[in-house]
Amino acid sequence: MWADEAYRRLLGALALLVPVVAALVLYETARGAGPSLRVFGWGFLVSTDWDPVAERFGALPYLYGTLVSSAIAMALAVPFGIGSAVFLAELAPPRLGAVVSFVIDLLASIPSIVYGIWGLFVLAPWLRSAAEPWLTAHVGFLPLFQGFPFGIGMLNAGIVLAIMVVPTVVSISREILLATPRSLREAALALGSTRAEAIAVAVDAARPGILGAAILALGRALGETMAVTMVIGNTNRISASLLAPGATMASVIANEFAEATGKLYLSALVEIALVLFALTVVVNALARLLVVATTGGRRDVAGAA
Amino acid sequence: MSRARPERIGALPVRGPSLPRRAWNAGLLAACALAAAAVVLPLGLIVAHLLAQGLPALDLGFFLHLPKPVGEPGGGMANAIVGTLILVGLGALVAVPVGVGAGLYLAEHGDGRVGALVRSTADVLSGVPSIVIGVATYGLVVVPMGRFSALAGGIALGLLMLPTIVRSTEEVVRLVPRSYREAGLALGAPRWRVTQQIVLPAASAGIVTASLLALARAAGETAPLLFTALGNRFWSLRLDQPIASLPVFIYDYARAPYDEWNRQAWAGALVLLLLVALVSGLLRLTVRRIPGR
Amino acid sequence: MTRAFDLFYGAHQALRSVTLEVPSNSVTAIIGPSGCGKSTLLRSFNRMNDLIPGVRTAGQVVVSGRDVYAPGTDVVELRRRVGMVFQRPNPFPKSIFENAAFGLRLLGIRDRGELEARVEQSLRRAALWDEVRDRLGRSALQLSGGQQQRLCIARCLAVEPEVVLMDEPAAALDPTATARIEELVLDLKKRYTIVIVTHNMQQAARISDRTAFMLMGALVEIGDTRRLFTSPREKLTEDYITGRFG
């Protein structure tokens, strides 16, 4: 019937707009990055120059800042996130678990800028006056914790990022733990396991999915912009100390794009966006594969009834 | 593998779990509870600080007045609040029709190659950092138009909402029982009418909820607006001109070296949080009541 | 053995004053219609019911002279002594070797030689050794259902329990695999005391020495298996085994 066919085609056309839009975003970013790609080539990724006057640009400090701030975030968010997920899925009374999960989901809906303002006005002064001097005094022999306590910097950015992405780790890990068969825990208990040992079996079975949750969180951390821009200090320098200010790929775009004069300057910023784009797409694809492999794959193997 | 005769293995020691095992058990369980507390703590801190810093600066004028120049007391973010509503509305205008249509397609006809393509690109889009969406929108809209504009900002927000709306529409539509469709088809209704008049209404509550969640999320976005909608200290409703938005306003005021502006940034953040968290919190609560989710 | 044992789930009484004795080195079968409390009774022997919120108990369950519900009982140690095999095979998603070694590692055995010897012994006792000796490092999930269940039995035997509880161990298996499990049970009673729950009366008749019949949380009759099936003393038992309900 022609009406059916027409309706189907209409929906199909709307659906095809999605890949078209995705392609446009990719195309536009790649096109905008063109001049910079041609001038700097691969050297762009390893150069530390950032001189708008001389028109020489390199993204290494920003790449470094993105990776380090995300690494701090992961180091904090993954253990705390898995611990919370275990608490919510295995230990908490069901009602408490549901309430706490709800609150943690709400954490995920707080706008980035709100985390930023909190990091800037609350976390930074505390880090500057209390936490960072303490770190320098007690673990200052490590280069990571040397230098002047600025308050804003890598450490602040990492902590704020951790707070922002931990809900992702918690809610996905919790769901995956709830999806692992009860019988695994029962079998472990029946063999004389303590509660923690039985939970360890379930966590072990859920490991690929939990890893996927962590990588998904990493994908968010890598691209997070506003909060980081507000608390990282925005300097184009690579410093061994986590207390020192820095910048990330997202933060340099946020800071300089609107004021960038000169075709090459703008293009260099767009190329940073392109690198960020590629990085997050790869990371997200990896995470999705892992999550799908565990939640989709396990049910038929272990026969969770 | 050892060739020892199995029968000659000595008896296992009969005893309860050793002290280290008990300690490990108790320690690990306690650590998990502490981790959950530590994850919830920042939420409490953030809300507490927002209330403490933001409430005093929040009065009726904040919602009714325009920003004042530095040094003059008072002033508000009326234009930014209206601007955010306009931007989110524009975004919805772009994303909802396309997103719902695409979601319907995926749920009803999406098992082929086209469906797989649409689904995977939606997943890719949803992972693209919002700042990258901003950069792309700048090139696609701002440069051809020759200026920053509300329209560009709305399109950027629409691009951000689109993948969420597509995937959640598909999910919700797939939950509509097969029997509804069969009942409609058995009455002799053509398939498109069944989709349009039975399936879509049955899924509409879920679609609205999912779309509102996406809108709430977009309302809090700052990064894609920085160089699309830009910002505006004055009253403007024109779509082809830069427009103010709450998040960008908070960003500018928070970085400014004036205490009065910082106070207003806190107030703005409180308003934004209430707007976003309240909407998504309420929606999440209602979503839990809809069976099947 | 239990004495006047009651168990409640919240307000619902699942077991009503059950008293029965389980002789060592024998197979005791518990039969009865679904929901009669046979699994609940079985799970009382190693306190697996503790995992369910709102469970209360009264009376005693005595294993090797000790009341397992007495205050101060170490549940973890109890469960080592009273092993359990579940309705569905539930191997851990680990290698065959690690499955069988799981309980041993809990007990702190690290010595590779001892682990290997004990794993081999338990796999032999579970009549699985010859089928898996060449692929101990493979995932347990690749085994067939019947093999998985025998692996679960081996896993349970490895920690040398005194009593082995079996909750319809063949319910999810095909007839051939079921037959192998039944042979195994007959062989195992030389060393272990076995309590097996089954909804299959033929199975109870084939493998058990004594049979208990339960109905609605109460023990109706217990006795020598042959006697119970040929000349039941209770009218209810007779009705059940002749298929009048259930």
Side-chain angles (χ1 to χ4, degrees), chain A residues 64-87:
Chain A
Y64 175 83
T66 295
L67 296 180
V68 170
S69 59
S70 295
I72 301 172
M74 288 295 107
L76 292 169
V78 169
F80 279 99
I82 295 176
S84 313
V86 166
F87 176 77

Side-chain angles (χ1 to χ4, degrees), chain A residues 154-171:
Chain A
M154 278 302 175
L155 184 62
N156 192 328
I159 294 172
V160 169
L161 278 177
I163 297 174
M164 295 182 72
V165 300
V166 79
T168 310
V169 181
V170 177
S171 58

Side-chain angles (χ1 to χ4, degrees), chain C residues 110-122:
Chain C
R110 305 252 184 283
D111 179 65
R112 189 75 199 171
E114 185 178 1
L115 277 177
E116 284 176 355
R118 286 187 185 275
V119 164
E120 175 176 348
Q121 169 182 276
S122 54

Side-chain angles (χ1 to χ4, degrees), chain B residues 45-107:
Chain B
L45 284 176
I46 289 170
V47 171
H49 280 113
L50 275 176
L51 288 174
Q53 307 282 334
L55 266 186
L58 204 58
D59 54 21
L60 199 60
F62 184 86
F63 296 95
L64 297 178
H65 295 155
L66 290 180
K68 293 261 173 73
V70 184
E72 283 184 41
M77 295 194 179
N79 58 338
I81 295 170
V82 172
T84 282
L85 294 179
I86 290 177
L87 286 168
V88 172
L90 279 172
L93 227 51
V94 175
V96 171
V98 178
V100 171
L104 262 181
Y105 178 83
L106 288 181

Side-chain angles (χ1 to χ4, degrees), chain A residues 118-133 147-160 230-233 242-245:
Chain A
W118 183 78
L120 182 62
F121 290 125
V122 181
L123 189 58
W126 180 73
L127 284 175
R128 182 167 52 234
S129 61
E132 290 182 352
F148 185 78
F150 287 97
I152 53 173
M154 278 302 175
L155 184 62
N156 192 328
I159 294 172
V160 169
M230 292 175 80
V231 301
I232 202 166
L242 300 183
L243 311 187

